[in-house]
Amino acid sequence: MRRFLVGCLSFLGVIFLLLGGGLGYLVWRGFSAFEEAKAPALPTHLLLTLAIQGEPPASQSNNPIKALTGDSLSLRDIVSRIDGAAKDGRVQGLFVDFSNAQLSPAAAQDLAAAVQRFKAKRKPTYAFADTMGEAGGATFTYALAAQFDRVWLQPAGALGIDGLALERPYLSEALKAIGVAPRLDQRHEFKGGIDMFTEAGLSPALRGSLQKLTDDLLGQAVDMIAKGRNISVDDAKAAIDTAPIAAQDAVTQSLIDQMGYRSDALRALKDTSRTQATVSLDDYHVPDTLPNAALRIAVIEAAGPVVRGGEGDDPFADEGSFAAGRVVAAFTAAVQDPTVKGIVFRIDSPGGSYVASDTIWQAVRAAQDAGKPVVAVMGTYAASGGYFVAAPADKIIAQPGTLTGSIGVYSGKFVLTGLWDKLGIHWGRIASGASAGQNSPNRDFTPAEWARFQESLDRIYADFTQRVAAGRKIPMEKMDAIARGRVWSGASAKDAGLVDRLGGMTEAVEEMRALLRQPADAQLRLVDYPAPQNSFDKALKFVSKLEQTATRIEGVRTQLEPLLNGESLYAPVNVNR
């Protein structure tokens, strides 16, 4: 048995070393070829093609496998490349396949604006899908497709534009049945983060708040469809209320232009544009025509839950993670770079750690104190901690469908003593100090601990609302009504004073020009902070992690081998006197 364990550890170490060495060579060759193929010589006249899979990621990925396959274009990448193509004389049209797309409101609106800017250059745009939302849920995906000049749908396909719905399970009875007691609380009635564990169903307050949110978002989709397809609002509403709509019926209702297959749609665009060559958007790079004198603006992307700590060493992690250490380091580098004149902070987060949010908030303020204006631009989400970090920005931009606000807090724990009793599990406990282990799931809060817990929620909520009020210049007597955990659409948030302007990066750049007192036609060079890793660096990081793992396994094997062989683990001790 001992020899078997030692052998297993040795085998694992060898495997990881082989993986590190072999993958090092293969990945190096693969990425070298990939980098060479990534920028092919483009024809003088071309059509751009794009197949959207699900929803494009909010930030760039650090995953080497995604980079190797080319599946790494972020939403910002797509928008910037379409914008660049609009000005590129080589590009004659745009073809997008929506067969596997599933877009959020904000992402659809961001892409729709880019498509409109492309069309403004009198370049044709064609949308195709074999079916759109086979199981429903394609309302905003279709709202984006409706902005194209021509929309094609496969004959067997349908439009699953069945509106918007929110569903959530309520687990309080199930938790009680298994002996789990939620000890949670929130500030305030609209926060909605813990009610699924503590209540039997939606409260009237939360139901009303979420109903207003979905009604607001659906109204935005209806307007996009009506304007894009040049039909009445009533007809757009009727289409949504009678979905799914078969392809032939969609033609009759002017929701699509033609039935056909992908090859048919692409051929039609080629004929219309008199252009045969096609280039994937992945392989297209916007020509750099900016003068050297263009003002440099740092772009800092952060997506996902707001967490404490640094960016970490995970080779599969996203470069745009919302780790406080990574974001603060990016702000610090931008502030210290004398060539950077301002910062655009791209946020896509449902929230997270209050302490991490506070750390990032201070970095935003430090940039402003250094004389560098900050414009926050929001993606799909910028809620709770995601809104907290935006609050001090000089300007805040959001899409109409961005989910933002949620100015509130919740916290607590689950007490598992009832579950342990049912399972016959007993915990021994030793503690020193009256409050030791107060966050343990193996005991309830004492009355004194619960009172302090309530005080901490009040303190965090008061701090949150005061900072938003100061950053947004909202009187405190109005702030509480805007806060209380309510989630706003971007459009409603603008009306409430939480957002300055609706839009995306284009509008953020315009606001930055104004803050820097530059003319409307001043050219700004957007520079990512930190600089994105190239594919080779990502591969090296990946291989390095494999080698580190092999080293650790070897270290464990070396330490365990004497014990497994029956030898002493004790070593002489040197005592310094």
Side-chain angles (χ1 to χ4, degrees):
M1 182 64 178
R2 293 170 179 171
R3 291 182 180 275
F4 174 75
L5 291 174
V6 172
C8 285
L9 290 171
S10 299
F11 176 75
L12 287 173
V14 170
I15 288 296
F16 275 94
L17 282 171
L18 289 173
L19 284 172
L23 280 179
Y25 175 75
L26 292 175
V27 172
W28 176 76
R29 290 300 301 270
F31 277 119
S32 296
F34 174 66
E35 289 293 344
E36 292 173 3
K38 196 172 182 180
L42 298 181
T44 55
H45 291 84
L46 61 94
L47 301 173
L48 283 180
T49 64
L50 170 67
I52 298 179
Q53 305 292 325
E55 177 161 319
S59 63
Q60 294 193 14
S61 174
N62 197 31
N63 187 325
I65 303 303
K66 287 185 179 180
L68 185 59
T69 60
D71 184 22
S72 58
L73 286 185
S74 68
L75 180 63
R76 178 185 159 211
D77 290 329
I78 294 174
V79 170
S80 66
R81 293 188 187 195
I82 292 175
D83 281 340
K87 304 171 185 177
D88 187 343
R90 297 172 300 177
V91 178
Q92 304 300 307
L94 174 66
F95 181 91
V96 177
D97 187 338
F98 288 94
S99 299
N100 297 301
Q102 189 169 10
L103 297 168
S104 67
Q109 290 161 349
D110 206 358
L111 290 167
V115 170
Q116 293 292 351
R117 291 190 291 269
F118 187 92
K119 289 171 59 177
K121 299 297 183 179
R122 297 186 178 182
K123 299 183 179 186
T125 57
Y126 276 45
F128 167 81
D130 57 0
T131 190
M132 199 170 296
E134 190 169 31
T139 301
F140 269 96
T141 301
Y142 172 70
L144 168 58
Q147 310 309 305
F148 285 63
D149 293 308
R150 304 285 290 178
V151 182
W152 286 62
L153 191 64
Q154 204 161 295
L159 296 181
I161 52 174
D162 52 359
L164 304 173
L166 296 176
E167 292 182 332
R168 63 194 310 176
Y170 279 83
L171 310 175
S172 61
E173 293 183 10
L175 293 176
K176 183 178 180 180
I178 64 174
V180 175
R183 290 290 274 161
L184 309 163
D185 209 347
Q186 65 187 31
R187 298 294 183 273
H188 280 284
E189 68 271 22
F190 301 120
K191 188 60 179 173
I194 60 172
D195 64 310
M196 63 186 295
F197 304 113
T198 61
E199 306 297 332
L202 280 166
S203 68
L206 189 55
R207 179 180 292 278
S209 172
L210 294 178
Q211 186 66 61
K212 183 182 184 307
L213 176 64
T214 56
D215 289 346
D216 189 358
L217 294 175
L218 184 61
Q220 295 173 20
V222 167
D223 287 343
M224 288 177 68
I225 293 169
K227 292 176 182 177
R229 296 302 302 169
N230 195 27
I231 61 177
S232 70
V233 168
D234 288 341
D235 285 345
K237 287 180 179 177
I240 289 172
D241 290 340
T242 57
I245 302 170
Q248 182 59 64
D249 294 333
V251 173
T252 303
Q253 297 176 38
S254 299
L255 298 173
I256 67 171
D257 296 288
Q258 198 160 344
M259 292 187 297
Y261 295 88
R262 187 182 188 279
S263 57
D264 301 323
L266 185 55
R267 187 182 307 112
L269 176 58
K270 289 180 177 180
D271 292 342
T272 298
S273 63
R274 299 179 181 179
T275 304
Q276 295 300 309
T278 61
V279 174
S280 169
L281 198 68
D282 295 296
D283 297 327
Y284 174 77
H285 292 270
V286 179
D288 184 1
T289 59
L290 291 175
N292 293 331
L295 295 180
R296 286 167 56 90
I297 304 299
V299 178
I300 298 174
E301 290 188 328
V306 184
V307 295
R308 295 169 54 235
E311 64 177 314
D313 297 320
D314 182 0
F316 295 103
D318 286 335
E319 289 180 352
S321 71
F322 229 127
R326 189 200 73 85
V327 177
V328 170
F331 267 92
T332 301
V335 168
Q336 293 177 348
D337 186 339
T339 67
V340 169
K341 304 304 179 183
I343 298 171
V344 173
F345 187 15
R346 286 179 54 86
I347 298 168
D348 201 307
S349 173
S353 164
Y354 186 73
V355 171
S357 301
D358 181 39
T359 302
I360 297 169
W361 179 92
Q362 192 276 334
V364 175
R365 291 298 305 272
Q368 294 169 313
D369 291 343
K372 301 195 177 184
V374 178
V375 175
V377 56
M378 299 172 168
T380 299
Y381 304 95
S384 197
Y387 185 81
F388 185 98
V389 299
D394 296 276
K395 294 291 181 180
I396 298 178
I397 314 296
Q399 291 294 347
T402 296
L403 303 184
T404 190
S406 191
I407 300 168
V409 60
Y410 60 79
S411 187
K413 68 177 181 178
F414 293 92
V415 179
L416 305 182
T417 51
L419 175 62
W420 302 140
D421 289 343
K422 290 177 182 291
L423 296 175
I425 297 174
H426 305 283
W427 292 77
R429 183 172 184 272
I430 298 172
S432 299
S435 296
Q438 62 182 306
N439 293 317
S440 169
N442 298 322
R443 73 171 181 86
D444 200 348
F445 291 113
T446 67
E449 289 166 352
W450 184 251
R452 290 196 296 271
F453 171 70
Q454 294 295 323
E455 290 172 0
S456 71
L457 294 181
D458 289 336
R459 173 178 54 80
I460 292 172
Y461 181 73
D463 184 50
F464 197 166
T465 54
Q466 288 167 9
R467 295 207 209 187
V468 173
R472 302 301 305 156
K473 297 179 175 57
I474 298 173
M476 278 304 296
E477 58 268 23
K478 295 182 179 180
M479 190 66 240
D480 187 57
I482 295 172
R484 305 191 72 80
R486 185 190 297 271
V487 178
W488 302 83
S489 71
S492 295
K494 181 177 180 296
D495 294 337
L498 297 177
V499 168
D500 293 295
R501 184 176 176 183
L502 300 179
M505 281 294 291
T506 298
E507 290 72 22
V509 170
E510 289 176 1
E511 292 295 334
M512 182 59 72
R513 285 194 190 97
L515 290 169
L516 295 174
R517 299 180 179 178
Q518 295 293 310
D521 59 351
Q523 294 179 303
L524 305 182
R525 181 179 294 278
L526 304 183
V527 183
D528 288 310
Y529 276 73
Q533 290 181 316
N534 61 40
S535 300
F536 183 64
D537 288 339
K538 293 177 183 179
L540 286 180
K541 187 175 182 180
F542 176 60
V543 172
S544 175
K545 288 297 294 181
L546 289 175
E547 292 177 342
Q548 291 173 24
T549 301
T551 302
R552 289 175 185 146
I553 291 174
E554 176 62 17
V556 172
R557 188 196 67 79
T558 302
Q559 292 177 5
L560 289 181
E561 189 170 17
L563 177 64
L564 295 174
N565 290 332
E567 301 174 12
S568 172
L569 287 178
Y570 292 103
V573 177
N574 295 321
V575 179
N576 295 322
R577 299 184 181 276

Short mmCIF file of all heavy atoms in Angstrom, two decimals, residues 379-409:
data_model
loop_
_atom_site.label_atom_id
_atom_site.label_comp_id
_atom_site.label_asym_id
_atom_site.label_seq_id
_atom_site.Cartn_x
_atom_site.Cartn_y
_atom_site.Cartn_z
N GLY A 379 -22.28 47.62 -18.23
CA GLY A 379 -22.70 46.59 -19.16
C GLY A 379 -24.04 45.99 -18.77
O GLY A 379 -24.99 46.70 -18.45
N THR A 380 -24.12 44.67 -18.77
CA THR A 380 -25.37 43.98 -18.44
C THR A 380 -25.81 44.30 -17.03
O THR A 380 -26.99 44.56 -16.76
CB THR A 380 -25.20 42.46 -18.61
OG1 THR A 380 -24.88 42.19 -19.98
CG2 THR A 380 -26.48 41.73 -18.24
N TYR A 381 -24.85 44.29 -16.09
CA TYR A 381 -25.13 44.58 -14.68
C TYR A 381 -24.16 45.65 -14.18
O TYR A 381 -23.01 45.70 -14.59
CB TYR A 381 -24.92 43.35 -13.78
CG TYR A 381 -25.69 42.12 -14.15
CD1 TYR A 381 -25.12 41.13 -14.93
CD2 TYR A 381 -26.99 41.92 -13.67
CE1 TYR A 381 -25.81 39.96 -15.24
CE2 TYR A 381 -27.69 40.76 -13.98
CZ TYR A 381 -27.10 39.80 -14.77
OH TYR A 381 -27.79 38.66 -15.07
N ALA A 382 -24.64 46.45 -13.28
CA ALA A 382 -23.76 47.29 -12.46
C ALA A 382 -24.56 47.55 -11.19
O ALA A 382 -25.03 48.65 -10.94
CB ALA A 382 -23.37 48.58 -13.15
N ALA A 383 -24.73 46.49 -10.41
CA ALA A 383 -25.65 46.52 -9.28
C ALA A 383 -24.90 46.30 -7.98
O ALA A 383 -23.83 45.71 -7.95
CB ALA A 383 -26.73 45.45 -9.45
N SER A 384 -25.48 46.80 -6.91
CA SER A 384 -24.92 46.64 -5.55
C SER A 384 -23.47 47.12 -5.55
O SER A 384 -23.20 48.28 -5.85
CB SER A 384 -25.06 45.19 -5.11
OG SER A 384 -24.91 45.08 -3.72
N GLY A 385 -22.51 46.23 -5.25
CA GLY A 385 -21.11 46.64 -5.27
C GLY A 385 -20.66 47.12 -6.63
O GLY A 385 -19.76 47.96 -6.74
N GLY A 386 -21.29 46.60 -7.70
CA GLY A 386 -20.98 47.07 -9.04
C GLY A 386 -21.39 48.50 -9.26
O GLY A 386 -20.79 49.21 -10.07
N TYR A 387 -22.44 48.95 -8.55
CA TYR A 387 -22.81 50.36 -8.63
C TYR A 387 -21.98 51.19 -7.66
O TYR A 387 -21.61 52.33 -7.96
CB TYR A 387 -24.30 50.59 -8.36
CG TYR A 387 -24.67 52.04 -8.57
CD1 TYR A 387 -24.92 52.52 -9.86
CD2 TYR A 387 -24.67 52.95 -7.53
CE1 TYR A 387 -25.18 53.86 -10.09
CE2 TYR A 387 -24.93 54.29 -7.75
CZ TYR A 387 -25.19 54.74 -9.02
OH TYR A 387 -25.42 56.07 -9.25
N PHE A 388 -21.68 50.63 -6.50
CA PHE A 388 -20.89 51.33 -5.48
C PHE A 388 -19.59 51.87 -6.07
O PHE A 388 -19.22 53.03 -5.84
CB PHE A 388 -20.60 50.36 -4.34
CG PHE A 388 -19.89 50.96 -3.17
CD1 PHE A 388 -20.61 51.35 -2.04
CD2 PHE A 388 -18.51 51.13 -3.15
CE1 PHE A 388 -19.96 51.89 -0.93
CE2 PHE A 388 -17.86 51.67 -2.06
CZ PHE A 388 -18.60 52.06 -0.94
N VAL A 389 -18.89 51.04 -6.88
CA VAL A 389 -17.59 51.46 -7.41
C VAL A 389 -17.74 52.51 -8.50
O VAL A 389 -16.79 53.24 -8.80
CB VAL A 389 -16.80 50.24 -7.95
CG1 VAL A 389 -16.53 49.24 -6.83
CG2 VAL A 389 -17.52 49.57 -9.11
N ALA A 390 -18.94 52.61 -9.10
CA ALA A 390 -19.17 53.61 -10.14
C ALA A 390 -19.59 54.95 -9.56
O ALA A 390 -19.44 55.99 -10.21
CB ALA A 390 -20.25 53.12 -11.10
N ALA A 391 -20.14 54.93 -8.34
CA ALA A 391 -20.77 56.13 -7.78
C ALA A 391 -19.89 57.38 -7.78
O ALA A 391 -20.39 58.48 -8.03
CB ALA A 391 -21.27 55.83 -6.37
N PRO A 392 -18.58 57.29 -7.51
CA PRO A 392 -17.78 58.52 -7.49
C PRO A 392 -17.33 59.01 -8.86
O PRO A 392 -16.72 60.08 -8.96
CB PRO A 392 -16.55 58.12 -6.65
CG PRO A 392 -16.40 56.67 -6.89
CD PRO A 392 -17.79 56.13 -7.03
N ALA A 393 -17.61 58.26 -9.92
CA ALA A 393 -17.12 58.64 -11.26
C ALA A 393 -17.66 60.01 -11.67
O ALA A 393 -18.74 60.43 -11.25
CB ALA A 393 -17.53 57.59 -12.28
N ASP A 394 -16.90 60.69 -12.50
CA ASP A 394 -17.33 62.00 -13.00
C ASP A 394 -18.60 61.90 -13.83
O ASP A 394 -19.47 62.78 -13.76
CB ASP A 394 -16.21 62.63 -13.83
CG ASP A 394 -14.98 62.92 -12.99
OD1 ASP A 394 -14.94 63.98 -12.35
OD2 ASP A 394 -14.06 62.08 -12.97
N LYS A 395 -18.71 60.83 -14.62
CA LYS A 395 -19.91 60.58 -15.41
C LYS A 395 -20.18 59.07 -15.40
O LYS A 395 -19.25 58.26 -15.38
CB LYS A 395 -19.74 61.06 -16.86
CG LYS A 395 -19.59 62.56 -17.03
CD LYS A 395 -20.89 63.30 -16.69
CE LYS A 395 -20.73 64.80 -16.88
NZ LYS A 395 -21.98 65.53 -16.56
N ILE A 396 -21.47 58.73 -15.45
CA ILE A 396 -21.87 57.32 -15.50
C ILE A 396 -22.74 57.11 -16.73
O ILE A 396 -23.73 57.81 -16.93
CB ILE A 396 -22.63 56.89 -14.23
CG1 ILE A 396 -21.73 57.05 -12.99
CG2 ILE A 396 -23.11 55.45 -14.36
CD1 ILE A 396 -22.43 56.69 -11.69
N ILE A 397 -22.35 56.12 -17.55
CA ILE A 397 -23.08 55.78 -18.77
C ILE A 397 -23.64 54.37 -18.61
O ILE A 397 -22.95 53.48 -18.11
CB ILE A 397 -22.15 55.80 -20.01
CG1 ILE A 397 -21.29 57.07 -20.03
CG2 ILE A 397 -22.95 55.65 -21.29
CD1 ILE A 397 -22.04 58.34 -20.17
N ALA A 398 -24.87 54.15 -19.03
CA ALA A 398 -25.47 52.82 -18.98
C ALA A 398 -26.37 52.62 -20.19
O ALA A 398 -26.89 53.59 -20.75
CB ALA A 398 -26.28 52.63 -17.69
N GLN A 399 -26.52 51.38 -20.60
CA GLN A 399 -27.51 51.07 -21.63
C GLN A 399 -28.91 51.15 -21.00
O GLN A 399 -29.06 50.97 -19.79
CB GLN A 399 -27.28 49.66 -22.18
CG GLN A 399 -26.02 49.52 -23.02
CD GLN A 399 -26.06 50.31 -24.31
OE1 GLN A 399 -27.11 50.79 -24.74
NE2 GLN A 399 -24.91 50.46 -24.95
N PRO A 400 -29.93 51.40 -21.79
CA PRO A 400 -31.29 51.43 -21.22
C PRO A 400 -31.64 50.14 -20.48
O PRO A 400 -32.38 50.16 -19.49
CB PRO A 400 -32.18 51.63 -22.46
CG PRO A 400 -31.30 52.31 -23.45
CD PRO A 400 -29.93 51.75 -23.23
N GLY A 401 -31.10 49.02 -20.95
CA GLY A 401 -31.42 47.73 -20.34
C GLY A 401 -30.43 47.26 -19.30
O GLY A 401 -30.55 46.13 -18.80
N THR A 402 -29.45 48.08 -18.94
CA THR A 402 -28.53 47.71 -17.86
C THR A 402 -29.29 47.56 -16.54
O THR A 402 -30.14 48.38 -16.21
CB THR A 402 -27.44 48.79 -17.69
OG1 THR A 402 -26.64 48.84 -18.88
CG2 THR A 402 -26.53 48.48 -16.51
N LEU A 403 -28.98 46.51 -15.79
CA LEU A 403 -29.56 46.33 -14.47
C LEU A 403 -28.62 46.97 -13.46
O LEU A 403 -27.48 46.53 -13.31
CB LEU A 403 -29.75 44.85 -14.15
CG LEU A 403 -30.61 44.07 -15.15
CD1 LEU A 403 -30.81 42.63 -14.69
CD2 LEU A 403 -31.95 44.74 -15.38
N THR A 404 -29.08 48.01 -12.80
CA THR A 404 -28.19 48.78 -11.94
C THR A 404 -28.89 49.20 -10.65
O THR A 404 -30.05 48.88 -10.42
CB THR A 404 -27.63 50.01 -12.69
OG1 THR A 404 -26.59 50.61 -11.93
CG2 THR A 404 -28.71 51.03 -12.99
N GLY A 405 -28.17 49.90 -9.81
CA GLY A 405 -28.72 50.30 -8.51
C GLY A 405 -28.53 49.22 -7.48
O GLY A 405 -27.39 48.87 -7.15
N SER A 406 -29.64 48.66 -6.98
CA SER A 406 -29.60 47.66 -5.92
C SER A 406 -28.76 48.16 -4.75
O SER A 406 -27.90 47.45 -4.22
CB SER A 406 -29.05 46.32 -6.44
OG SER A 406 -29.24 45.30 -5.50
N ILE A 407 -29.02 49.40 -4.35
CA ILE A 407 -28.25 50.04 -3.29
C ILE A 407 -28.79 49.52 -1.96
O ILE A 407 -29.80 49.99 -1.44
CB ILE A 407 -28.36 51.57 -3.39
CG1 ILE A 407 -27.82 52.03 -4.73
CG2 ILE A 407 -27.61 52.26 -2.25
CD1 ILE A 407 -28.13 53.47 -5.08
N GLY A 408 -28.14 48.52 -1.45
CA GLY A 408 -28.57 47.87 -0.22
C GLY A 408 -27.55 46.82 0.19
O GLY A 408 -26.46 46.75 -0.38
N VAL A 409 -27.90 46.00 1.14
CA VAL A 409 -26.96 45.02 1.66
C VAL A 409 -27.74 43.86 2.27
O VAL A 409 -28.84 44.04 2.79
CB VAL A 409 -26.01 45.65 2.72
CG1 VAL A 409 -26.80 46.21 3.89
CG2 VAL A 409 -24.97 44.64 3.21
#
